[in-house]
């Protein structure tokens, strides 16, 4: 019986790093906008909560049977008699209230363990609701019921109609036990979280850390910006080309063309950032801004140096490296020496760039080589606000 629970938990552990990446972006954006930083302990709390939800979901849907097996099932689809599991406990176990020797064997039987596992499954939800999300007991009960109902409907629909019929029973007693488990978790939460920092302390820590601009925060802005650039320069020309084929739209959507890459950098990261006073959409979302030393706002020349060194130097350095490697098999002896030299020089530049990123990440240095060379830097635009925010 325990293998039915350990299997989904192992699956959750294996898939968690990948699925966490999908949910981390909106969480990071929210906290960067509100506090400027996520915080180490808050990160642990949030990702443990994501892992808990993932594990609970897998416990509901796994193991997955074959469609052929499910199509041959003829058992009931729903159990709508409330307290049926309690009735089954007294009728289907060895438990006898006047015989203490039956107590231990009875609690080892599945008819007892299943309701207990359903209680335990939602116990952490109640703890999270009270400790971190600051929900009331009534709201925790409602959330526990709604999540349990979602799980039960997932089973009743045959995993959203992937299967021809349910392969697990929709049970109202599961709704009861799950909801009760969330309520118990809410009541016990102060005993479990007594030695942990409060939500208010986590908010203050994030606000203090948010005054600095971390590399992760800048990476989130970087990903948002290139997503937007991709929509503007890649998706839009592709859609236009579907409606009215045009060689120009194909050319603009080509990422393999270094000229188009340069055009993207100039239009978005240099000109657009200059007119928006050091901000892009990504920077605006996570509340950061590019500034220049001894100036009240960033200059156009400062942006040219900053993004020319960061994007264009690396892009054209990669082009030189790839070109030199491709020419090694066809060049004559003189050309071979030249291309080997170019390959080593361009590779050295790339390695220096990677080393700079690793050094900055490990040592907590927030200013990279292109910022020092261009005399620019990144600041946080977070203002001191109240700390009574929700997730």
């Amino acid at each position: 019986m325990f293998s039915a629970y350990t299997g989904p938990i192992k699956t959750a552990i294996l898939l968690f790093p990948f699925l966490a990446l999908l949910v981390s972006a909106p969480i990071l954006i929210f906290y960067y906008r509100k506090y400027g930083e996520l915080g180490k302990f808050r990160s642990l709390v949030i990702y443990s909560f994501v892992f808990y939800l993932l594990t609970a979901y897998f416990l509901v849907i796994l193991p997955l049977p074959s469609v052929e097996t499910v199509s041959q099932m003829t058992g009931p689809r729903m159990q709508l008699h409330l307290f049926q599991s309690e009735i089954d406990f007294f009728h289907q176990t060895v438990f006898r209230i006047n015989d203490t020797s039956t107590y231990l064997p009875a609690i080892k039987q599945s008819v007892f363990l299943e309701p207990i596992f359903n209680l335990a499954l939602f116990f952490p939800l109640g703890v999270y609701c009270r400790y971190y999300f600051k929900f009331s007991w009534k709201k925790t009960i409602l959330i526990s019921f709604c999540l349990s109902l979602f799980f039960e409907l997932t089973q009743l629909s045959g995993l959203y109609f992937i299967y021809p019929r349910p392969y697990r029973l929709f049970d109202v007693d599961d709704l009861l036990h799950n909801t009760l488990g969330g309520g118990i978790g809410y009541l016990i939460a102060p005993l479990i979280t007594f030695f942990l920092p409060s939500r208010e302390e986590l908010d203050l820590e994030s606000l203090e850390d948010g005054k600095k601009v971390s590399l992760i925060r800048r990476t989130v802005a970087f990903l948002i910006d290139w997503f937007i650039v991709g929509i503007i320069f890649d998706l839009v020309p592709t859609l236009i080309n579907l409606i009215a084929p045009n060689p120009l739209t194909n050319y603009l959507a080509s990422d393999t063309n270094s000229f188009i890459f340069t055009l993207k950098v100039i239009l978005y990261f240099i000109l657009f950032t200059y007119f928006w006073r050091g901000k892009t959409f990504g920077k605006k979302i996570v509340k950061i801004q590019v500034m220049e030393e001894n100036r009240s706002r960033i200059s156009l020349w400062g942006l040219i140096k900053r993004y020319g060194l960061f994007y264009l130097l690396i892009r054209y350095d990669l082009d030189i490296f790839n070109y030199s490697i491709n020419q090694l098999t066809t060049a004559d002896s003189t050309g071979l020496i030249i291309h080997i030299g170019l390959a080593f020089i361009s590779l050295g530049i790339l390695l220096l760039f990677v080393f700079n990123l690793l050094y900055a990440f490990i040592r907590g240095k927030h200013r990279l080589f292109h910022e020092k060379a261009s005399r620019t830097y990144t600041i946080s635009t977070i203002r001191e606000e109240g700390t009574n925010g929700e997730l």
Side-chain angles (χ1 to χ4, degrees):
M1 178 179 177
F2 288 100
S3 62
Y5 298 95
T6 58
I9 293 174
K10 291 178 181 178
T11 303
I13 293 173
L14 292 174
L15 292 181
F16 172 73
F18 304 100
L19 295 179
L21 291 175
L22 297 177
V23 300
S24 61
I27 292 174
L28 287 172
I29 290 170
F30 175 87
Y31 282 106
Y32 285 146
R33 284 192 59 78
K34 190 166 186 64
Y35 302 108
E37 190 56 71
L38 190 60
K40 296 181 178 63
F41 192 82
R42 190 197 298 274
S43 301
L44 179 63
V45 172
I46 290 177
Y47 284 111
S48 67
F49 180 65
V50 173
F51 177 71
Y52 158 71
L53 291 178
L54 182 62
T55 302
Y57 184 73
F58 283 154
L59 285 168
V60 169
I61 68 170
L62 298 181
L64 295 176
S66 65
V67 175
E68 293 75 16
T69 300
V70 175
S71 62
Q72 296 174 6
M73 290 181 176
T74 57
R77 301 173 182 230
M78 295 184 289
Q79 195 290 108
L80 301 178
H81 299 288
L82 198 60
F83 302 114
Q84 184 62 47
S85 58
E86 284 72 20
I87 295 172
D88 291 342
F89 173 75
F90 289 105
H91 288 85
Q92 298 180 15
T93 67
V94 297
F95 176 77
R96 297 294 178 269
I97 193 169
N98 58 350
D99 186 357
T100 56
S101 64
T102 64
Y103 289 6
L104 184 59
I107 63 176
K108 292 181 179 180
Q109 293 182 266
S110 61
V111 71
F112 173 81
L113 292 175
E114 185 174 341
I116 295 300
F117 276 123
N118 282 321
L119 285 170
L121 181 64
F122 273 59
F123 180 88
L125 179 63
V127 175
Y128 282 109
C129 284
R130 181 167 186 174
Y131 166 66
Y132 185 75
F133 298 107
K134 296 297 181 181
F135 292 150
S136 65
W137 187 79
K138 290 183 180 179
K139 187 176 289 188
T140 300
I141 290 296
L142 177 61
I143 291 172
S144 299
F145 176 81
C146 290
L147 182 60
S148 178
L149 182 62
F150 168 71
F151 286 164
E152 292 301 311
L153 291 177
T154 296
Q155 296 177 148
L156 182 62
S157 65
L159 195 56
Y160 320 118
F161 307 103
I162 294 175
Y163 290 95
R165 55 154 289 155
Y167 61 91
R168 288 193 176 183
L169 189 68
F170 176 98
D171 195 334
V172 293
D173 279 342
D174 289 349
L175 287 172
L176 172 66
H177 298 141
N178 291 157
T179 305
L180 185 59
I184 295 173
Y186 178 92
L187 297 175
I188 303 297
L191 298 177
I192 299 175
T193 61
F194 179 76
F195 296 102
L196 300 179
S198 66
R199 171 64 187 270
E200 291 74 18
E201 291 172 331
L202 294 179
D203 292 343
L204 290 174
E205 177 192 19
S206 294
L207 279 172
E208 185 64 29
D209 292 341
K211 296 176 182 178
K212 301 176 182 178
V213 181
S214 66
L215 289 179
I216 297 178
R217 186 173 174 185
R218 292 171 60 180
T219 301
V220 173
F222 169 88
L223 294 175
I224 294 172
D225 282 330
W226 277 104
F227 176 76
I228 293 172
V229 169
I231 292 177
I232 296 173
F233 285 90
D234 300 338
L235 182 59
V236 172
T238 301
L239 294 176
I240 294 174
N241 193 56
L242 289 175
I243 299 172
N246 190 326
L248 178 61
T249 56
N250 284 330
Y251 185 69
L252 289 174
S254 174
D255 260 337
T256 60
N257 191 307
S258 294
F259 172 75
I260 298 303
F261 179 84
T262 303
L263 186 63
K264 294 176 182 179
V265 172
I266 292 173
L267 292 178
Y268 185 81
F269 291 98
I270 295 178
L271 294 178
F272 181 74
T273 304
Y274 172 72
F275 287 113
W276 206 2
R277 304 178 67 89
K279 296 178 183 178
T280 60
F281 287 114
K283 290 179 175 62
K284 179 68 175 179
I285 289 173
V286 302
K287 293 193 174 183
I288 60 177
Q289 182 179 2
V290 176
M291 300 293 292
E292 187 173 357
E293 294 178 4
N294 304 319
R295 296 182 68 95
S296 60
R297 61 163 291 177
I298 191 73
S299 68
L300 185 60
W301 177 238
L303 287 170
I304 291 172
K305 291 188 291 183
R306 176 187 176 92
Y307 290 114
L309 286 171
F310 185 73
Y311 287 120
L312 301 184
L313 174 64
I314 300 303
R315 174 60 188 250
Y316 285 100
D317 185 70
L318 279 170
D319 287 346
I320 292 172
F321 178 76
N322 290 329
Y323 175 78
S324 299
I325 294 298
N326 292 332
Q327 295 299 314
L328 292 180
T329 57
T330 60
D332 55 25
S333 57
T334 303
L336 184 64
I337 296 174
I338 294 174
H339 289 302
I340 290 176
L342 287 174
F344 272 107
I345 292 172
S346 56
L347 179 61
I349 294 174
L350 291 174
L351 291 177
L352 285 173
F353 173 71
V354 173
F355 175 78
N356 180 247
L357 287 177
L358 292 176
Y359 178 80
F361 182 78
I362 294 172
R363 296 296 301 273
K365 304 293 183 180
H366 304 139
R367 207 171 182 194
L368 301 177
F369 77 96
H370 65 292
E371 295 177 294
K372 292 181 180 179
S374 62
R375 301 177 67 85
T376 61
Y377 56 95
T378 307
I379 64 169
S380 173
T381 60
I382 288 287
R383 294 189 298 270
E384 294 292 338
E385 298 174 348
T387 59
N388 60 342
E390 309 81 23
L391 177 66

